[in-house]
Amino acid sequence: MADEDKILRNPSLLSSIRSFNGENAEEFFTVLENTALLGNWSEIQLAAITTLKLEGRARRFFESSLKGKNLGYQPLKARFISQFSKPVNFAADFSQFSTTVQLPSERVRDFASRLEEVAQKSFGKESVDTGDISQKFGAKMILSQFLAGLQPRIKAQVVIINPETFEGAVELGERIEIAQEMLVPTVNVLESGNSVPDKAPEAVQANDETLAKTLNLVNRQLEYLNSRMDKIEAESKSRNGGNWQGNRQPVTCFHCNRPGHYMRDCYQRQAENRGRGSNHRGRGRGNGYDTTYGNQRFFGGNDQSREETPKNT
């Protein structure tokens, strides 16, 4: 190993390279090689960096199949790409292409770029070179899906004009989009007007967190108001006679001296009066005595009137 291979130049660039866990092998090695150009790294250093950045499935594959073989960078790269590259599935890629539509917060130009990327996977340059589909037919399919996937507020006007090329349709869609923004200002969910779909989940999550905090604050305020209402209700009952009713002595009959009723409702007194009325019925009628309740002075009753509320001391 040469001395220049022992010293890694610009080691700070290592932080820009993500770890490789088996997903997107081509993307990992593309980023690694582009960073190596900036850092002036050798292939020996690239092989060492590759092994340092392995994790998960990629680390297990290296430990079980490649460790100790002293492979150079290119053979090591080829083994990883062969192991973790996804097989080409035209049906799945074409299904993704045919369902690609413009997102609500996505610009027309961004949607066009994303559609071209998906189309490249489905029937890209390799399919055209091998004669699977013609280049003209592929361009028509991209144009057709672009028109079908536009937002309704833009789609109607673009379809009426009926552009013949994909580039013309994109340019027309951009002009219509700008004109609509000038006539009707829109309030986007994201902060920037040039928003991208990748930021939409972050915006939704931020809105959910704000809503949760607001609901929590409202619940706390309601709990405080309920406690205040309970306190006010208790004080109101106390001022309106709650203590007087609590300290009030039980009613006692003046006739039988038993608690719980007035003299006018005393069953014992009524029974006695009925008996006395039958014994003195004739005399009572002639002398004006009350045959129902009896004459209090004649029968020795107390002075409590049957209509008078007893006064307790």
Side-chain angles (χ1 to χ4, degrees), residues 88-99 118 122:
V88 178
N89 189 335
F90 176 78
D93 292 339
F94 186 77
S95 176
Q96 182 182 3
F97 167 77
S98 60
T99 56
V118 177
S122 301

Side-chain angles (χ1 to χ4, degrees), residues 139-140 143-144 146-147 150 154-173 175-176:
K140 287 186 177 181
L143 173 61
S144 175
F146 176 77
L147 296 177
L150 284 172
I154 302 176
K155 175 181 177 180
Q157 301 182 51
V158 176
V159 171
I160 291 175
I161 299 176
N162 191 22
E164 296 182 356
T165 62
F166 174 70
E167 291 77 10
V170 174
E171 183 179 356
L172 177 60
R175 291 204 304 267
I176 295 174

Side-chain angles (χ1 to χ4, degrees), residues 109-122:
R109 178 65 65 177
D110 296 334
F111 168 58
S113 300
R114 185 163 58 89
L115 181 63
E116 284 184 308
E117 181 180 358
V118 177
Q120 189 69 22
K121 295 180 181 179
S122 301

Side-chain angles (χ1 to χ4, degrees), residues 9-279:
R9 299 183 178 89
N10 301 315
S12 60
L13 294 176
L14 290 173
S15 60
S16 62
I17 304 174
R18 295 183 178 181
S19 298
F20 176 54
N21 60 0
E23 299 291 335
N24 300 323
E26 294 85 354
E27 180 181 352
F28 168 76
F29 286 105
T30 300
V31 173
L32 177 61
E33 292 172 359
N34 291 336
T35 308
L37 294 176
L38 298 176
N40 196 18
W41 298 338
S42 64
E43 288 197 355
I44 296 177
Q45 292 172 337
L46 285 178
I49 294 172
T50 300
T51 57
L52 290 175
K53 290 292 183 177
L54 299 178
E55 64 179 19
R57 294 190 302 144
R59 171 62 63 182
R60 291 192 294 271
F61 171 71
F62 176 79
E63 294 290 340
S64 61
S65 303
L66 304 179
K67 188 175 181 179
K69 293 186 177 181
N70 295 325
L71 297 176
Y73 172 70
Q74 293 299 335
L76 186 66
K77 172 185 174 182
R79 293 293 298 272
F80 276 111
I81 292 179
S82 175
Q83 176 69 21
F84 295 105
S85 293
K86 295 181 180 179
V88 178
N89 189 335
F90 176 78
D93 292 339
F94 186 77
S95 176
Q96 182 182 3
F97 167 77
S98 60
T99 56
T100 302
V101 296
Q102 183 184 6
L103 301 177
S105 59
E106 189 177 22
R107 310 288 294 187
V108 171
R109 178 65 65 177
D110 296 334
F111 168 58
S113 300
R114 185 163 58 89
L115 181 63
E116 284 184 308
E117 181 180 358
V118 177
Q120 189 69 22
K121 295 180 181 179
S122 301
F123 43 89
K125 186 175 182 301
E126 295 181 357
S127 299
V128 174
D129 293 342
T130 56
D132 294 339
I133 59 174
S134 65
Q135 185 175 1
K136 186 176 181 180
F137 179 71
K140 287 186 177 181
M141 292 185 65
I142 296 176
L143 173 61
S144 175
Q145 185 59 37
F146 176 77
L147 296 177
L150 284 172
Q151 287 289 318
R153 58 186 176 85
I154 302 176
K155 175 181 177 180
Q157 301 182 51
V158 176
V159 171
I160 291 175
I161 299 176
N162 191 22
E164 296 182 356
T165 62
F166 174 70
E167 291 77 10
V170 174
E171 183 179 356
L172 177 60
E174 280 189 310
R175 291 204 304 267
I176 295 174
E177 184 179 49
I178 295 174
Q180 290 182 352
E181 291 177 351
M182 294 174 62
L183 295 175
V184 182
T186 58
V187 179
N188 294 328
V189 177
L190 304 179
E191 296 179 356
S192 174
N194 297 325
S195 57
V196 294
D198 296 339
K199 294 184 179 180
E202 299 177 1
V204 173
Q205 182 178 2
N207 290 338
D208 291 342
E209 293 176 355
T210 302
L211 180 60
K213 292 180 180 179
T214 304
L215 291 177
N216 186 23
L217 179 60
V218 171
N219 290 333
R220 291 171 58 186
Q221 292 177 345
L222 289 176
E223 292 176 358
Y224 175 77
L225 290 177
N226 288 334
S227 63
R228 289 287 301 166
M229 290 297 296
D230 293 340
K231 185 177 180 180
I232 293 173
E233 184 178 357
E235 293 176 354
S236 177
K237 289 182 178 180
S238 176
R239 288 194 300 266
N240 293 335
N243 293 335
W244 176 80
Q245 293 180 358
N247 297 330
R248 183 176 180 179
Q249 297 180 358
V251 176
T252 303
C253 177
F254 284 8
H255 183 76
C256 66
N257 294 325
R258 294 177 181 175
H261 62 275
Y262 293 103
M263 185 181 69
R264 65 173 178 266
D265 300 325
C266 181
Y267 292 104
Q268 179 179 347
R269 179 173 177 271
Q270 294 176 6
E272 292 175 357
N273 288 340
R274 283 194 294 270
R276 291 171 183 174
S278 61
N279 295 332

